Amino acid sequence: MSLLVVGLSHRSAPVSVLERAALSADAQVKLVQDTVAAEPATEAAVLATCNRIELYADVDKFHAGVAELSTLLAQHSGVGLDELTPYLYVHYEDRAVHHLFSVACGLDSMVVGEGQILGQIKDSLARAQELHSAGRLLNDLFQQALRVGKRAHFETGIDRAGQSLVTFGLQQLADGADVATWARGRKALVIGAGSMSSLAAATLARAGVAEVVIANRTPDRAERLAEIISEGDDTDVPARAVPMDAVPVELTRADIAVSCTGATGLVLTAEDIAAAVEGRGGRSAARPAEKAPAARTSAEDTGTRRVLPPAADENCPLDLTATTVQGGFSVHGEAAVAGLDAAALEQHAAWAAGGAVDRREAARRGPETDADLITALAATAATVGRVPERRKPEPAAETPRPEPVLALLDLAMPRDVDAAVHRLAGVRLVDIESLAEASADAPMAADVDQVRRIVADEVAAFGAALRAAHITPTVVALRAMAADVVANEIARLEGRLPALDDKHRGEITQTVRRVVDKLLHAPTVRVKQLAAEPGGAGYADALRTLFDLDQDTVAAVSRAEDGTEKNRDPR
């Protein structure tokens, strides 16, 4: 059997795809159950966070395993396989181990070095153990990943390279200011009472906000979190719990709002936020009204400026609205009117002057009128050096956005807050998508290289232990066979020497056993060493062949060891 991981994360997929592929708690359970029920897999675990969805499995066939795991991910995420496939990544055996260890150390996180992922890996393992889908391989893998992550944080300064997603999000809201200085004295609303929301509430309390309000669909959890915040030893910030239907009112009082729920739909719409901001004192959060096209002035204005019709007026006989503009005039002016008859020119001139011309009457004008108009046009062109044209519309002055009165941090996946809120005046929204963009430019700490070396060493050690463990059942079966041979030979000796006393019988038995042990010691130790090296998987097969070991016996030893492993305390 071999380790396989199929998944997608913020590194491989856009946030819009991650958002749609997010798995609820029930969907994660069903995915694990369906994976172990599938033919290629015997063990399975799901690691699902706000920026990754990964399915780990012990499979006996690589290609069949990739196909089955990819299909199951698509089915349970609700994103079609054809759409999902371009964003999936696959890691196998040592590469899969390396990937999980890197994830555990925070190297693959959106915010490098963040430590929240360790709790998420622990939860993933606990869920798999509850579902009895984690056997020896995944138990060893996830427990070792937790140890590697803890070692990286303990032995290096990776914590200085990054922080939690909550802290990073608050830093983005503060827009370069110190978070504690920015948050001090403000009122905070936290929607949700899970691990991320709890961390947000605690972080805001330590930053010195004036109050923390917790809203959650389960009142008991909200009250418990509020109690923890209020009774914290390192803060004196009051906290209270409110029902979810109180959120609209609380938004009108809050300066900072953090949302991280497990809801599958929007928790806060743009209309909700606009109403909350307007309810703070009459300041509207609606988008600035669309500006009407700016009025224009004629090119030949002198003295009093003359207002002309908008550029997009449908009565204009010439399609000049699509022309490019340089220096205030359309570069296609002469070309646009070249070849037009006098009636059309008169129409355009009358329209540009703000008047109106009956097109049917203009069409009845004769050639003489055409000649007069063309002569006048030529004279004007000779005087000013070009055909008089409409001036480019003055650019509309952009209304400056007011300072935000409400700062929103959306850490949910799928999103809790409508993305349209980004366009509201008086609001600053930071969500997973904007965090992904900001983190792309975040500086990397020097300690990252040291963590990478730790990961490489731990992957090598885990691979060696895994390969050595693969041959252990064969070695155990070999020693069991040798013990049976010794027992049979002692029984034969007793048949031939019935008068042998117990003392001599014991000495002979011990001597034969020592001989067998010494003969087997060197080859079994050496075969374990060889099997631990890359490419050493074939030594188990060689040992079974050389000693004609029964495959069923070896399999029975493996099952017995797996049963012992499953009963081991995961902590």
Side-chain angles (χ1 to χ4, degrees):
M1 304 300 284
S2 300
L3 178 65
L4 174 68
V5 56
V6 177
L8 67 161
S9 73
H10 65 101
R11 294 186 182 276
S12 70
V15 173
S16 59
V17 174
L18 281 173
E19 184 178 30
R20 292 170 53 210
L23 299 172
S24 65
D26 290 341
Q28 292 176 41
V29 170
K30 192 67 168 63
L31 176 56
V32 169
Q33 292 172 334
D34 287 354
T35 302
V36 292
E39 182 180 346
T42 58
E43 302 180 32
V46 170
L47 178 58
T49 72
C50 59
N51 53 29
R52 76 177 62 251
I53 305 164
E54 295 177 344
L55 178 56
Y56 291 78
D58 187 7
V59 300
D60 57 1
K61 299 173 184 176
F62 172 73
H63 292 95
V66 171
E68 187 66 31
L69 267 59
S70 301
T71 300
L72 288 170
L73 270 176
Q75 288 176 352
H76 289 277
S77 69
V79 180
L81 183 58
D82 290 344
E83 184 179 358
L84 193 64
T85 297
Y87 305 113
L88 293 177
Y89 48 77
V90 175
H91 298 299
Y92 190 55
E93 294 188 328
D94 283 355
R95 289 300 307 167
V97 176
H98 187 281
H99 175 73
L100 182 59
F101 287 4
S102 297
V103 169
C105 292
L107 293 180
D108 198 59
S109 296
M110 186 179 294
V111 181
V112 175
E114 60 95 5
Q116 291 172 260
I117 188 64
L118 287 174
Q120 293 161 335
I121 291 174
K122 185 177 180 180
D123 291 343
S124 176
L125 175 60
R127 185 186 307 108
Q129 289 171 337
E130 289 173 4
L131 297 172
H132 305 289
S133 66
R136 178 168 187 167
L137 176 61
L138 292 187
N139 267 299
D140 285 351
L141 174 70
F142 276 70
Q143 290 175 20
Q144 186 64 20
L146 292 171
R147 287 191 286 268
V148 174
K150 291 175 183 177
R151 178 188 169 192
H153 285 279
F154 179 76
E155 295 183 10
T156 75
I158 191 67
D159 290 329
R160 296 192 298 268
Q163 57 274 305
S164 73
L165 204 58
V166 170
T167 304
F168 188 59
L170 292 175
Q171 286 181 347
Q172 298 307 304
L173 282 180
D175 200 19
D178 176 67
V179 171
T181 303
W182 169 79
R184 188 171 297 117
R186 299 192 179 201
K187 294 181 179 180
L189 170 64
V190 176
I191 304 174
S195 58
M196 192 79 77
S197 299
S198 300
L199 180 59
T203 303
L204 288 167
R206 285 195 297 270
V209 295
E211 179 188 38
V212 176
V213 178
I214 314 294
N216 192 57
R217 297 191 186 280
T218 306
D220 291 346
R221 297 189 65 180
E223 291 170 2
R224 176 59 181 153
L225 179 55
E227 182 181 343
I228 292 172
I229 297 299
S230 297
E231 298 177 355
D233 294 334
D234 54 346
T235 67
D236 57 355
V237 175
R240 57 188 174 88
V242 298
M244 285 294 290
D245 58 13
V247 166
V249 174
E250 294 298 336
L251 277 172
T252 66
R253 301 169 179 166
D255 302 300
I256 307 168
V258 180
S259 186
C260 187
T261 73
T264 55
L266 292 176
V267 174
L268 298 173
T269 66
E271 291 76 12
D272 295 334
I273 302 302
V277 173
E278 185 156 354
R280 297 172 66 91
R283 284 173 290 181
S284 175
R287 288 188 67 182
E290 295 294 333
K291 300 296 180 185
R296 298 164 293 112
T297 58
S298 65
E300 63 275 21
D301 276 353
T302 58
T304 304
R305 295 173 64 84
R306 223 168 4 149
V307 178
L308 300 184
D313 194 309
E314 63 182 6
N315 295 318
C316 177
L318 304 181
D319 184 17
L320 298 181
T321 58
T323 60
T324 57
V325 175
Q326 290 180 349
F329 294 89
S330 63
V331 297
H332 300 300
E334 291 86 349
V337 298
L340 295 180
D341 58 25
L345 285 172
E346 185 178 6
Q347 274 187 282
H348 180 257
W351 174 83
V357 173
D358 187 328
R359 300 188 185 192
R360 288 174 297 178
E361 182 182 348
R364 290 196 295 268
R365 302 292 177 88
E368 299 81 5
T369 306
D370 286 352
D372 292 341
L373 287 172
I374 291 172
T375 300
L377 182 64
T380 303
T383 302
V384 300
R386 61 186 294 123
V387 175
E389 301 172 278
R390 297 177 300 135
R391 188 177 295 277
K392 174 188 176 184
E394 295 293 334
E398 210 172 294
T399 304
R401 290 174 66 93
E403 285 296 316
V405 296
L406 177 61
L408 282 169
L409 177 58
D410 182 6
L411 298 174
M413 184 63 71
R415 72 179 76 234
D416 279 349
V417 182
D418 190 346
V421 171
H422 281 293
R423 300 194 294 270
L424 296 181
V427 182
R428 177 168 173 76
L429 170 62
V430 170
D431 53 19
I432 292 295
E433 193 162 14
S434 50
L435 285 176
E437 293 173 359
S439 66
D441 300 325
M444 300 286 285
D447 296 281
V448 168
D449 287 338
Q450 186 178 352
V451 174
R452 286 176 176 152
R453 288 193 292 271
I454 289 175
V455 169
D457 291 344
E458 292 285 356
V459 169
F462 184 83
L466 195 64
R467 288 186 290 269
H470 181 68
I471 203 171
T472 298
T474 303
V475 172
V476 172
L478 174 60
R479 289 191 172 276
M481 184 190 74
D484 289 342
V485 170
V486 170
N488 291 335
E489 289 303 315
I490 294 299
R492 280 183 53 190
L493 182 63
E494 289 178 346
R496 292 182 180 183
L497 301 174
L500 196 65
D501 58 54
D502 292 342
K503 179 180 178 181
H504 290 92
R505 184 185 299 106
E507 286 291 338
I508 294 172
T509 301
Q510 286 294 100
T511 298
V512 175
R513 287 175 177 168
R514 281 196 297 271
V515 170
V516 171
D517 285 342
K518 287 182 179 181
L519 288 174
L520 291 179
H521 177 73
T524 54
V525 170
R526 184 59 180 151
V527 79
K528 285 183 177 181
Q529 293 172 343
L530 294 171
E533 297 175 358
Y539 285 101
D541 295 332
L543 203 61
R544 286 194 296 270
T545 301
L546 287 172
F547 287 93
D548 194 24
L549 296 176
D550 181 41
Q551 181 63 45
D552 291 339
T553 303
V554 176
V557 173
S558 297
R559 287 193 296 272
E561 290 190 350
D562 285 346
T564 302
E565 191 70 24
K566 286 182 180 181
N567 292 328
R568 204 170 65 178
D569 187 346
R571 293 172 296 179

